Amino acid sequence: MQKDPATPGAAASPPARREFLKQGCAACLAVAAVGTPAAVGTRVFLDPLTRLKTVENFVKVTTLDTLPEDGTPVQFPVLADRRDAWTKFTQVPIGAVFLQRQAKDKLLALSVVCPHAGCFVDYVEEQQGFLCPCHNSLFLKDGGLKDEQSPSPRPLDTLEVQVRNRNEVWVRFQDFQLGVTEKKPVA
Amino acid sequence: MIKRVLAWVDERTGLGRFAEAFLFQNLPGGSRWRYSWGTLLLYVFFLQAVTGFFLWTAYSPSTQTAWESIHFIQNEMTGGWLLRGLHHFGAQAFVVVLVLHLLQMVIYGVYRAPREVNFWLVLLLLPLAIAMSATGWLLPYDQHGFWASRVPIGIMGVTPVIGPWLQKIAMGGSSVGHHTLTHFLALHAGLLPLIVALVLGGHYYLNRKHGFADAPKDCGCPDEPYFPAQFLKDAAACLAVLIVLLGFVLVPLWQNPGAAPGVHLGAPADPSEQYSAARPEWFMLFLFQFLKYFPGGTEVWGAMVIPGLVMTVLALMPFVAKWKHGHRFNVLFIGVLAVGALTLTRIALVQDSKDETYLTAKEHDRRSAERMRQLVSERGIPPSGGAALLRDDPFTQGPKLFAKNCASCHRFDGHDGTGRMPLNTYTVRAGDTWESIAEYRFTKPEQLRDLNKSLGGRALKPGDQVTVYARPWAPDLKGFATREWLAGLMDPARVDGPRFFGGTKFKDGKMVKWVKKNCTSEKAGDLKKVIAALSAEARLKSQAGPDKADAELIKQGRALITGDFACTDCHSFGKKDPDATAPDLTGYGSRAWLLRFISNPNHADFYGKRNDRMPAFADKKILDAKQLGLLTDWLRGEWYVPPKNGTK
């Protein structure tokens, strides 16, 4: 930039500074012009990150009578109101849950979602446990990991379950983060 | 005149000179088939862009319209199935051509200076093609697309640190919904093709800049201009690919003219409806299989670290090749990769072909898809979307409701409604033998031994765990209230068997005794009339013909019910009998009767206090009104059946 670096001081310095200022301004204007629309768009695109999920409440899933006395897990769809962007759905299936009796009135609710990659697991009577049809993770009847080599990082996720009015089974339905050892609800 | 116009254009744009340089570029050593890969890749991309654009013009991304619009494209719009078919197979062709092109570049060492950037651009296309494919699956929003795309979305979540955010941005929320579709469409039809186009353009430009390859040594082949020799080869190659693609779409149509044309579109996505055959496209099966070998918590290695390392080694190939045996190493490396991927793909395919769950799920999906086509052509799609049609269909929902709610006691043609045999585990007690266990469950000892192959057929010891067919505690309801079914009920040999009262507490009850005493062969003629009369009460759709034809027989039968046969000693028939102790026969098996029966068998009109174990499904709120209706309609065989010859 400087034509003659040997020339000392004042004479050469102002044009160089002016030049730098000019370059800086040009860069700033360009960034502002290009960046503004991009930033506005990006902010909208990132909207899901800051949108808080509504807290899940307990949902009535079934009645006690439908659960086999012998403790065999049965899968039930979970119906609830759900908002999906612009549509409000009333009483649609939002997922499913395995319910089983551990004792006469003691229930265990397991999420059907395999904590590995999110496929639905099947209950396999012959194995007395759950098998994921995607990557073959094996779980015990109580949801525990059957096999250390299973791709799933943790046991099946238990869900809170309550019996109300003597016969109604209510479950707090939640999604949990997949692929991590720790059971963390999806925020 | 034309020459002057062309000269004018050339002078102002340079197009003419460019075209000339482009078409008549000199190829050292002449044209070659393997120089066609780049053009071929460009061509398949062009094919995808064109077919994709037109699909886009008719596609609507939302959870209530995505499947529906694709169904419309495929089944209603003229040629829609062909368009979708070409796009479907074109996507696979892109990957195949890309991989072959890459292999070719490595084997012939076309990554050496100055073609490094050229090689990297092709490498970059690999993850881009995977991203295109993964965003493309979801768009039809059928069961397969919905469940198969859960896996890549899930994998995105295990990215260290930013995983959960990344996942949320991709899905446009915390679960798959409208915004997942809008996002995936924007990526699939907008951003990703733009990037691919730039990369491909760059690749093609560099191809021309550096020439397709170094002139072959001691070949003695003369140089040729690009046009016409290479151009002809390129055009032929493109056409060959197009013919293969058309073949994939058209040959099944020719083999099976009655089937729905075009590639499979499953039943609409339903988050509560399990689909156990979620698999990525075949060219990604090796990645899917690879993931199976990573135990819990190490997934990130299988999904990201190792693939990342492999990509790095590939990217470094041009530099590795500078060493003495570098090129050989590169060829060996890519060879091992190819063999490894093929082996993994094969393992995945073999495992699936033996996997009962996978095959059942596939078959189930095929049937639901076929059913959807029937329902849509009959009813049309409601504004709430196609999934509702299946949810309101007795033919689809009946078996599931039966399996879940009835099959712990009842059977349907020997199974649980869905075709499975309900199983239990039984702990052997002292004195049990194969024969005694089998007899109690109305099965044969051989069947039990088959179920428990691990015991090798040895004698049972107390404490052994055996898998057994669950004992049917109540009648088999296949064909309930039809003449055949009633004939079985009123057969002394069968009434206390497993298909009727054998498992119930009525096994030694009044009805069984009455049947054994009265339904003798001398009375066969009258019995036939009674059965016809009783069965007519049900007003079954399947029996409308015989019911109408046998009006006289039925009239006589009705007289016998109240007269000689004295059914009305215990049952009501026609008018309410307050002293009746057995189920009301008025309207027996009709929709209203069956609905009321399932709602509450304890009602005085039915079994009253003598009811065995059957729950009151409505009063106990086990089933809601809609489910009860679906179950009743299914048991009575009332569902939409398409006309036999009306299908396209």
Side-chain angles (χ1 to χ4, degrees):
Chain A
M1 244 173 278
Q2 276 177 320
K3 276 172 198 156
D4 186 3
T7 311
S13 158
R17 210 189 300 141
R18 216 176 296 144
E19 196 68 352
F20 176 77
L21 217 62
K22 235 192 232 170
Q23 287 169 349
C25 276
C28 283
L29 287 179
V31 165
V34 174
T36 309
V40 174
T42 309
R43 181 63 196 87
V44 173
F45 189 67
L46 295 181
D47 172 76
L49 284 186
T50 43
R51 183 173 293 275
L52 284 177
K53 210 188 163 197
T54 41
V55 183
E56 299 90 350
N57 290 317
F58 278 87
V59 180
K60 193 197 139 194
V61 173
T62 179
T63 51
L64 263 183
D65 308 15
T66 52
L67 300 178
E69 303 273 344
D70 64 5
T72 307
V74 184
Q75 188 188 317
F76 293 92
V78 177
L79 301 172
D81 293 352
R82 193 169 76 92
R83 237 194 116 83
D84 176 11
W86 55 85
T87 311
K88 170 151 187 198
F89 295 100
T90 45
Q91 293 298 297
V92 285
I94 55 167
V97 59
F98 270 113
L99 285 169
Q100 57 181 287
R101 285 181 202 255
Q102 292 191 308
K104 184 104 183 79
D105 291 314
K106 194 169 167 260
L107 297 186
L108 175 67
L110 293 171
S111 170
V112 300
V113 178
C114 176
H116 176 229
C119 302
F120 272 24
V121 297
D122 293 304
Y123 181 68
V124 185
E125 180 79 41
E126 294 96 293
Q127 305 239 19
Q128 288 286 298
F130 299 92
L131 172 70
C132 178
C134 284
H135 303 95
N136 306 345
S137 288
L138 264 176
F139 305 91
L140 298 165
K141 196 168 167 184
D142 67 1
L145 274 174
K146 191 166 186 171
D147 181 356
E148 283 296 306
Q149 291 307 306
S150 279
S152 175
R154 60 169 191 266
L156 285 177
D157 299 313
T158 50
L159 298 166
E160 288 174 64
V161 58
Q162 290 179 348
V163 177
R164 296 185 188 171
N165 305 327
R166 288 226 188 107
N167 197 25
E168 296 170 6
V169 181
W170 292 66
V171 169
R172 187 163 170 229
F173 186 74
Q174 279 178 295
D175 286 319
F176 298 93
Q177 249 175 55
L178 302 175
V180 289
T181 29
E182 199 186 336
K183 174 184 164 193
K184 270 188 290 192
V186 173
Chain B
M1 177 67 195
I2 294 171
K3 266 193 177 159
R4 272 175 56 199
V5 171
L6 287 180
W8 186 90
V9 171
D10 185 36
E11 203 168 296
R12 273 137 190 99
T13 61
L15 268 180
R17 270 159 290 165
F18 175 76
E20 200 176 314
F22 183 84
L23 272 182
F24 299 105
Q25 184 183 5
N26 183 49
L27 305 180
S31 64
R32 231 155 260 266
W33 281 106
R34 69 179 166 88
Y35 296 166
S36 292
W37 288 112
T39 317
L40 206 52
L41 204 55
L42 209 59
Y43 170 70
V44 179
F45 177 71
F46 167 80
L47 184 87
Q48 288 307 90
V50 172
T51 50
F53 170 78
F54 285 107
L55 282 170
W56 189 9
T57 59
Y59 176 72
S60 169
S62 84
T63 59
Q64 292 133 310
T65 58
W67 182 90
E68 291 70 10
S69 59
I70 296 288
H71 183 272
F72 192 76
I73 292 174
Q74 170 126 340
N75 294 295
E76 303 286 337
M77 296 179 82
T78 310
W81 57 273
L82 181 62
L83 182 68
R84 179 161 178 256
L86 279 178
H87 195 71
H88 176 82
F89 289 112
Q92 300 167 34
F94 187 80
V95 176
V96 173
V97 172
L98 176 60
V99 169
L100 291 176
H101 185 30
L102 191 71
L103 281 175
Q104 182 269 137
M105 284 185 95
V106 174
I107 291 167
Y108 290 97
V110 192
Y111 48 52
R112 291 204 182 92
R115 299 193 180 81
E116 295 96 330
V117 179
N118 218 356
F119 178 70
W120 289 334
L121 287 178
V122 175
L123 270 190
L124 197 59
L125 284 174
L126 280 178
L128 282 170
I130 288 181
M132 282 294 269
S133 175
T135 48
W137 292 330
L138 181 73
L139 297 182
Y141 212 57
D142 60 356
Q143 278 287 76
H144 181 266
F146 179 84
W147 290 96
S149 60
R150 274 174 84 98
V151 177
I153 292 174
I155 288 170
M156 215 183 276
V158 302
T159 316
V161 189
I162 54 163
W165 290 320
L166 211 60
Q167 198 177 14
K168 225 171 162 182
I169 295 170
M171 287 199 289
S174 33
S175 55
V176 173
H178 291 322
H179 275 161
T180 321
L181 288 165
T182 55
H183 280 187
F184 276 36
L185 178 66
L187 288 175
H188 184 79
L191 188 62
L192 288 171
L194 186 71
I195 300 176
V196 172
L198 287 174
V199 171
L200 268 178
H203 173 62
Y204 201 77
Y205 165 75
L206 289 177
N207 246 345
R208 287 313 197 88
K209 184 177 162 73
H210 301 308
F212 288 96
D214 294 326
K217 286 162 205 153
D218 32 83
C219 158
C221 333
D223 290 4
E224 275 179 302
Y226 177 78
F227 188 88
Q230 186 64 43
F231 186 90
L232 192 65
K233 287 196 168 74
D234 286 359
C238 293
L239 207 61
V241 168
L242 181 66
I243 289 169
V244 170
L245 292 183
L246 282 171
F248 272 111
V249 190
L250 296 175
V251 168
L253 193 68
W254 173 58
Q255 286 173 331
N256 193 0
V263 286
H264 178 74
L265 176 64
D270 186 339
S272 70
E273 193 62 54
Q274 181 152 3
Y275 179 69
S276 303
R279 299 285 181 272
E281 285 293 329
W282 61 267
F283 51 79
M284 282 168 68
L285 269 181
F286 73 96
L287 285 174
F288 158 85
Q289 184 66 24
F290 191 55
L291 270 190
K292 285 188 190 168
Y293 304 114
F294 288 85
T298 59
E299 194 188 357
V300 71
W301 284 85
M304 286 169 204
V305 179
I306 294 176
L309 285 174
V310 168
M311 284 301 283
T312 313
V313 174
L314 287 175
L316 290 176
M317 278 187 173
F319 305 119
V320 174
K322 288 181 179 165
W323 292 329
K324 197 177 167 204
H325 294 294
H327 179 64
R328 285 204 189 126
F329 168 83
N330 286 343
V331 174
L332 190 71
F333 183 78
I334 204 146
V336 168
L337 274 189
V339 171
L342 285 176
T343 312
L344 284 172
T345 308
R346 203 186 125 70
I347 297 175
L349 289 174
V350 169
Q351 280 184 1
D352 279 350
S353 71
K354 289 183 191 151
D355 183 345
E356 210 53 49
T357 330
Y358 173 83
L359 295 172
T360 321
K362 273 275 182 211
E363 177 56 20
H364 179 75
D365 184 53
R366 201 191 54 72
R367 268 185 280 138
S368 330
E370 178 55 30
R371 184 68 185 157
M372 267 314 287
R373 270 171 29 87
Q374 296 172 358
L375 290 172
V376 171
S377 67
E378 164 69 7
R379 313 233 163 109
I381 298 171
S384 53
L389 284 178
L390 272 188
R391 271 184 227 134
D392 295 342
D393 177 32
F395 178 75
T396 308
Q397 299 306 329
K400 289 183 212 158
L401 287 167
F402 188 87
K404 192 167 289 172
N405 297 286
C406 317
S408 55
C409 295
H410 292 279
R411 294 289 174 277
F412 189 87
D413 204 14
H415 55 78
D416 72 348
T418 62
R420 285 194 201 182
M421 297 288 288
L423 297 172
N424 265 340
T425 336
Y426 175 72
T427 311
V428 176
R429 287 178 220 163
D432 284 336
T433 60
W434 289 106
E435 285 72 23
S436 71
I437 295 172
E439 190 192 351
Y440 181 70
R441 293 177 169 77
F442 307 111
T443 42
K444 297 200 177 80
E446 304 84 72
Q447 288 176 302
L448 275 192
R449 289 202 179 93
D450 268 358
L451 272 184
N452 297 278
K453 288 216 176 83
S454 59
L455 294 180
R458 66 166 169 80
L460 294 173
K461 289 191 299 247
D464 279 345
Q465 296 272 337
V466 285
T467 307
V468 291
Y469 290 116
R471 183 179 206 249
W473 296 103
D476 191 306
L477 296 176
K478 168 84 195 287
F480 173 69
T482 58
R483 293 183 185 183
E484 296 75 48
W485 192 86
L486 286 168
L489 180 74
M490 290 191 230
D491 177 352
R494 284 188 275 169
V495 62
D496 59 352
R499 288 213 157 206
F500 296 96
F501 287 127
T504 68
K505 75 172 190 185
F506 305 115
K507 186 173 186 275
D508 304 310
K510 275 190 188 173
M511 183 71 194
V512 171
K513 281 182 186 144
W514 184 89
V515 167
K516 294 212 171 219
K517 193 175 154 202
N518 294 292
C519 298
T520 50
S521 50
E522 300 96 78
K523 289 193 184 165
D526 281 351
L527 190 62
K528 217 177 137 192
K529 293 174 188 167
V530 168
I531 287 170
L534 193 54
S535 184
E537 293 288 303
R539 296 177 190 281
L540 294 170
K541 203 165 86 175
S542 58
Q543 252 178 213
D547 281 351
K548 207 174 163 195
D550 299 338
E552 184 53 32
L553 203 73
I554 289 167
K555 203 175 147 200
Q556 292 171 14
R558 294 179 66 90
L560 287 167
I561 290 176
T562 46
D564 275 7
F565 271 69
C567 304
T568 41
D569 282 2
C570 300
H571 298 272
S572 292
F573 186 65
K575 58 178 190 287
K576 272 266 167 11
D577 175 0
D579 299 328
T581 55
D584 194 342
L585 298 183
T586 319
Y588 177 83
S590 63
R591 189 174 197 275
W593 187 94
L594 193 54
L595 206 56
R596 277 188 63 214
F597 187 100
I598 303 172
S599 298
N600 185 9
N602 301 314
H603 191 279
D605 284 352
F606 304 109
Y607 281 117
K609 291 205 178 77
R610 302 184 321 115
N611 180 23
D612 192 349
R613 275 152 290 183
M614 178 150 163
F617 282 92
D619 295 18
K620 289 262 184 181
K621 295 188 180 140
I622 302 170
L623 295 175
D624 60 29
K626 188 177 140 188
Q627 293 170 315
L628 283 169
L630 288 167
L631 186 59
T632 306
D633 287 340
W634 178 71
L635 283 172
R636 288 170 36 81
E638 299 259 354
W639 56 76
Y640 168 70
V641 183
K644 280 254 154 37
N645 45 10
T647 46
K648 311 199 219 186

